[in-house]
Every structure is written in C-alpha cells, then in structure tokens.
Amino acid sequence: MSFLGGLFGPVCEIDVLLNDAETRKTAELKTEDGKVEKNYLFYDGESVSGKVNLNVRQTGKRLEHQGIRIEFVGQIELFSDKSNTHEFVNLVKELALPGELTQNRSYDFEFTQVEKPYESYVGTNVRLRYFLKVTVMRRLSDLVKEYELIVHQLATYPDVNNSIKMEVGIEDCLHIEFEYNKSKYHLKDVIVGKIYFLLVRIKIQHMELQLIKKEMTGIGPSTTTETDTVAKYDIMDGAPVKGESIPIRLFLAGYDLTATMRDVNKKFSVRYFLNLVLVDEEDRRYFKQQEVVLWRKAPEKIRKRNFQRYESPEPRPALTAEQQPEM
C-alpha cells in the first residue's frame, strides 16, 4: 500500500511515499459516513519520514510557486461546527523556496519522534485525525493534498486493577449482588463476572448485560452526549430463585471498540459502562450502570521495548509552540 495523490488540475500531480511503507502496519478506521478506510499505523513518539514527489504532467509547462511545504497535523473536528477545527499538533517542514517547476522533483522529509498525544477517533459528533498535508503555494490558489494516518495509544497491564462489587435492589422485592473480575479491560479482553440473587419477590422475565459507549462533546451546558449500546450479553430468560448464581463471560474482541478517552483536549470524551438490565413480566425495566476503563494492549514486539506503562486515560495538554520539536 502506498499513498497515491489525486490530480490537482492540469499541471501537477502530488504523491507521498513513506520510507517504511513496505514494512509499516496498517489499521482500519470508520469514516463519518460509515465506510472503512485502511491507512498506515503510527504510535506516539515514532518518526514520520518519506518523500514528496511532484510530477509535472505537461512537458515544457512551467509551474510557478511561492514555496512548497509539508505539515504533520493532529486535528479535532466537531461535526456540528466543521468550520471551527482545532489543531493540537502542527509541525511544518519547508521543502522548497519560491521558484518554478519545469520537470518532476522529489523532496525528502522527516518529522522526528513526533508526539501524538491522542488516539485517532471517528464518532457520532466528533473526529480526531492525523494527516500529512502537502501545499504548493501559488498566487491564485494553492495546490493542497492531505494523506490520512492512524494513531493508536498503547499501554501495558495496569499495576492496580480492582474487581467491581455492587448491590442493586428494590426494597422488600429484589436484592441482587453482582461482581466483575476487573475494572480495566484491554480491547481483546473477556469480562468475567457473577450475578447473585439474594432476594427475589418479583417475577423477572429477562436479564442482560450491556456494554454502553457514551460520547460526550463540548463543555458545560453545551455538552452533548450520544449513547450507543455496542455489546449485549443475554444472562438469562425466565425467573431466578433466591440463592441462584449466574456466571457472565462477555468477549470484547468481536466488537468495534476504542480505548477510553477522557477530556481530550477539553473537546470530547469517550467512556464505557457495564449496564445490568432486568425486565419483569410486566415489561418494567430495572438497571444499574458501572463505568469500566478500556485500554489498548501493546503488541508483543512493542511490549518487549517497554513502550509505555499503563496510564489512566486522563486529559493530556496540547502541544504548544515551545514544546514542539525544532524544524
């Protein structure tokens, strides 16, 4: 797979090729219209390098320009206000001074040990993306091409991962105790637990465990929350009896999940909850939610390099000009 640029009018075609394109892994990410795109995968701290190829399509034709540059951009876009994007990373390399092109040219570029503080994400109301942006500056209109990249945030096993024990009930009618083996799960993990019925005086018809994703955008009174049930596990059909214990095993690998993301650049959060739902024979619903943390497990080769320890998905600051690598 290689980055192949499209056409930019009748004069010039722009291509970008990464130096490690033949060996670098790719990843898939859904677009806002539901399609799945495959792009090159990067991790925090990795360098991004390659060549920009400018192909003059008409022999003897001159392309005058005011300079050529490439940018590495990390950007958050709220779908409700696409005109107001926020860049938390913007690194620039100048490839050529003002001049003219009369033949094909290639330019090397490298962004060294680039900090990529967040994971790529496309949700219901927000998108966080990384891309390379090549610009051939011209007097009337610039020639611009963007090349999408995907970034994953990795972690190793958390030092502390307590189990979850909770009770839920209706006075003199229902008393249930449930237990989950952990509070933090990697994206290929298995949620293991048990449900204990201590008091049952209502007729329960159905019981299920749901994994709910909540995407919150904005801050304060303008916060918007989108809730999506991403996984369901049928625990039982029929009425339980006092003293009964029911095991739970929910495999996460088969679902399209992201890591937990909290207060990403003060723009949005993505959080997950286990929702225990009971339905009685009169179709009344009883439920209890408990938040869990999802994290992306580092592949074996990267774990051996001690890529990073587990960190709770707390907010990370944006790169300021002083913190950015020198050009």
Side-chain angles (χ1 to χ4, degrees):
M1 177 179 173
S2 65
F3 284 126
L4 295 177
L7 300 181
F8 294 92
V11 180
C12 182
E13 179 180 307
I14 303 175
D15 297 337
V16 172
L17 180 66
L18 296 179
N19 286 340
D20 55 358
E22 293 183 358
T23 57
R24 179 164 293 278
K25 289 186 176 181
T26 60
E28 294 182 345
L29 190 67
K30 283 187 178 180
T31 62
E32 56 183 294
D33 58 4
K35 297 179 180 179
V36 176
E37 289 187 350
K38 183 180 289 188
N39 292 298
Y40 288 109
L41 175 63
F42 285 85
Y43 300 114
D44 185 20
E46 285 191 306
S47 298
V48 182
S49 62
K51 288 181 180 293
V52 174
N53 298 319
L54 300 182
N55 303 315
V56 179
R57 299 185 63 242
Q58 297 181 17
T59 305
K61 199 82 172 178
R62 294 190 308 167
L63 173 63
E64 295 183 357
H65 62 84
Q66 305 303 308
I68 303 169
R69 70 179 178 221
I70 184 169
E71 300 168 73
F72 179 90
V73 182
Q75 183 183 87
I76 297 173
E77 175 185 318
L78 298 177
F79 296 153
S80 60
D81 186 12
K82 291 189 176 183
S83 62
N84 185 21
T85 57
H86 175 75
E87 293 184 357
F88 54 88
V89 177
N90 190 317
L91 308 177
V92 182
K93 294 287 186 183
E94 300 294 341
L95 301 179
L97 297 174
E100 61 180 39
L101 291 175
T102 57
Q103 59 184 1
N104 297 344
R105 290 292 305 272
S106 292
Y107 302 94
D108 295 324
F109 71 89
E110 182 175 13
F111 297 101
T112 305
Q113 296 179 341
V114 181
E115 184 174 354
K116 311 172 195 71
Y118 312 116
E119 179 155 326
S120 299
Y121 176 76
V122 179
T124 305
N125 293 318
V126 64
R127 172 170 66 166
L128 189 153
R129 58 190 286 244
Y130 293 87
F131 57 96
L132 294 169
K133 180 180 179 182
V134 180
T135 305
V136 180
M137 291 170 281
R138 305 186 72 192
R139 289 180 179 175
L140 296 179
S141 61
D142 294 342
L143 305 182
V144 179
K145 185 61 178 180
E146 296 177 354
Y147 301 89
E148 298 289 335
L149 307 173
I150 293 177
V151 170
H152 283 173
Q153 286 292 319
L154 301 178
T156 55
Y157 286 97
D159 294 331
V160 178
N161 198 354
N162 296 323
S163 61
I164 298 172
K165 294 182 179 180
M166 295 188 69
E167 294 184 1
V168 58
I170 304 168
E171 188 174 359
D172 297 328
C173 294
L174 180 69
H175 187 189
I176 296 174
E177 186 177 275
F178 61 91
E179 179 179 354
Y180 305 119
N181 61 328
K182 294 184 285 189
S183 56
K184 303 180 180 76
Y185 297 89
H186 63 76
L187 300 184
K188 306 297 181 183
D189 216 335
V190 182
I191 296 175
V192 177
K194 281 189 177 182
I195 307 292
Y196 302 95
F197 292 89
L198 305 179
L199 176 64
V200 183
R201 289 180 179 168
I202 59 175
K203 293 183 179 180
I204 296 175
Q205 178 177 285
H206 178 70
M207 188 174 185
E208 69 181 19
L209 180 67
Q210 301 173 344
L211 180 61
I212 292 177
K213 170 185 168 184
K214 292 186 179 182
E215 175 190 290
M216 290 151 278
T217 55
I219 55 175
S222 62
T223 300
T224 300
T225 301
E226 291 288 340
T227 301
D228 182 27
T229 301
V230 295
K232 287 184 179 181
Y233 177 85
D234 288 329
I235 296 174
M236 57 168 285
D237 280 312
V241 296
K242 179 180 178 181
E244 189 170 358
S245 173
I246 299 176
I248 295 173
R249 291 182 71 87
L250 177 60
F251 292 83
L252 299 180
Y255 300 99
D256 183 19
L257 302 171
T258 67
T260 295
M261 307 168 78
R262 288 182 180 158
D263 197 19
V264 176
N265 217 241
K266 298 183 179 180
K267 299 295 182 183
F268 73 97
S269 298
V270 179
R271 299 166 68 180
Y272 290 88
F273 296 81
L274 289 175
N275 189 36
L276 184 64
V277 181
L278 290 82
V279 182
D280 68 16
E281 61 181 10
E282 297 180 10
D283 286 332
R284 290 176 297 194
R285 298 171 66 87
Y286 311 91
F287 61 90
K288 183 72 172 182
Q289 285 191 5
Q290 172 64 40
E291 184 172 8
V292 292
V293 173
L294 300 188
W295 54 280
R296 189 178 297 278
K297 184 179 178 181
E300 182 67 26
K301 290 182 180 179
I302 296 179
R303 290 205 301 272
K304 290 180 179 178
R305 285 158 36 194
N306 295 321
F307 199 90
Q308 70 175 63
R309 63 178 177 83
Y310 173 86
E311 294 181 0
S312 181
E314 294 298 329
R316 295 178 62 176
L319 283 176
T320 63
E322 291 77 12
Q323 294 170 316
Q324 292 177 358
E326 294 182 358
M327 294 296 99

